[in-house]
Amino acid sequence: MNKKPSEILRDLINNNDCVRIAALGSSNTQRRLMGMHWFDYIELGCKAQFGKGSVLCCNMGVGGETASDLLNRFDRDCGRFAPHLAIITCGGNDSKPNLNFSRQEFADNLHTLYEKFSAMDTVVFFQTYYGCHLENMVPGHGEKLVDFMQVIREVAADCNAYVQDNCQDLQLRYIRGLSADMDDLLTEKGQRQARDFLRFLRKWD
């Protein structure tokens, strides 16, 4: 896939009356607090750039879910909505040591999600997590989370899909000494995540 993300989005908008965009994930995607959510910023950004009737966005996040859970409800949610573009953000729960998901199982689930979306002609953007303080996690979770973020990068490369690498961006910010505490309010984190995603979409400009 040689086109840039914005070119794909523009093509979708040019070829459809209204582009359906789905955000699929766990608590990082689900709306849980009052105020603007990161996916709201995506929706408003797209409407501001492409027109108020250009996109229809559906938040399909459910806190605590894994990639396996996303697959279990795929037909109910994604099959009915039939998105033109899907943003997948998972891995934090999959990497919990007590759930015992292997690296290969997680990769297989991501591949299956991609394949099911591709069968619907849905474009897939993967996302890695925004970081958190790994030392505050239960033993074994932090290391596995970092590894599962690498799995997302590898699956995206295998599928020739786009990946918004929030985790890598966070690491660079820490290295440069520019990062604020990532355990701040979810609203602030969501705004930052949305701004980063919109910058990602603007890479084509």
Side-chain angles (χ1 to χ4, degrees):
M1 189 180 296
N2 296 322
K3 289 186 177 181
K4 298 176 181 178
S6 59
E7 294 172 334
I8 293 173
L9 188 54
R10 283 180 175 144
D11 286 348
L12 288 172
I13 289 173
N14 289 336
N15 294 320
N16 296 276
D17 292 334
C18 181
V19 173
R20 296 181 297 277
I21 304 176
L24 194 65
S26 53
S27 60
N28 54 27
T29 302
Q30 180 181 14
R31 174 186 290 282
R32 297 188 297 162
L33 298 176
M34 295 178 61
M36 292 287 288
H37 180 273
W38 69 263
F39 195 45
D40 295 325
Y41 283 81
I42 303 303
E43 179 177 8
L44 292 178
C46 289
K47 288 180 177 178
Q49 183 161 357
F50 301 111
K52 61 183 180 181
S54 58
V55 297
L56 175 64
C57 295
C58 184
N59 187 324
M60 299 180 181
V62 177
E65 290 204 338
T66 66
S68 178
D69 295 315
L70 305 186
L71 285 170
N72 288 338
R73 61 183 174 92
F74 185 93
D75 292 338
R76 185 197 70 185
D77 296 346
C78 304
R80 293 180 178 180
F81 188 61
H84 298 96
L85 171 64
I87 304 169
I88 302 175
T89 317
C90 60
N93 296 311
D94 310 70
S95 57
K96 290 180 177 179
N98 63 304
L99 295 185
N100 295 316
F101 281 105
S102 70
R103 194 180 201 275
Q104 188 60 54
E105 286 174 319
F106 181 52
D108 289 345
N109 285 336
L110 292 181
H111 274 111
T112 302
L113 281 168
Y114 180 84
E115 290 165 2
K116 290 175 76 70
F117 274 123
S118 294
M120 301 166 54
D121 293 324
T122 300
V123 176
V124 174
F125 288 169
F126 289 102
Q127 282 197 103
T128 60
Y129 269 42
Y130 253 98
C132 53
H133 292 296
L134 303 179
E135 67 275 11
N136 293 337
M137 293 182 167
V138 299
H141 190 187
E143 297 85 349
K144 195 170 183 180
L145 174 63
V146 171
D147 185 47
F148 275 30
M149 295 304 100
Q150 179 58 28
V151 171
I152 293 173
R153 300 183 189 104
E154 293 169 2
V155 169
D158 289 343
C159 298
N160 198 21
Y162 293 103
V163 58
Q164 167 64 9
D165 200 347
N166 301 311
C167 188
Q168 179 64 28
D169 177 63
L170 174 73
Q171 293 169 6
L172 292 174
R173 291 186 192 189
Y174 272 127
I175 291 171
R176 295 170 185 163
L178 300 177
S179 179
D181 183 0
M182 295 309 292
D183 283 339
D184 56 9
L185 293 176
L186 291 176
T187 51
E188 295 179 9
K189 184 186 298 184
Q191 291 171 15
R192 181 163 51 249
Q193 182 171 355
R195 287 195 299 269
D196 284 355
F197 202 99
L198 289 172
R199 281 197 294 269
F200 167 69
L201 289 177
R202 286 198 296 267
K203 288 180 181 177
W204 14 290
D205 293 338

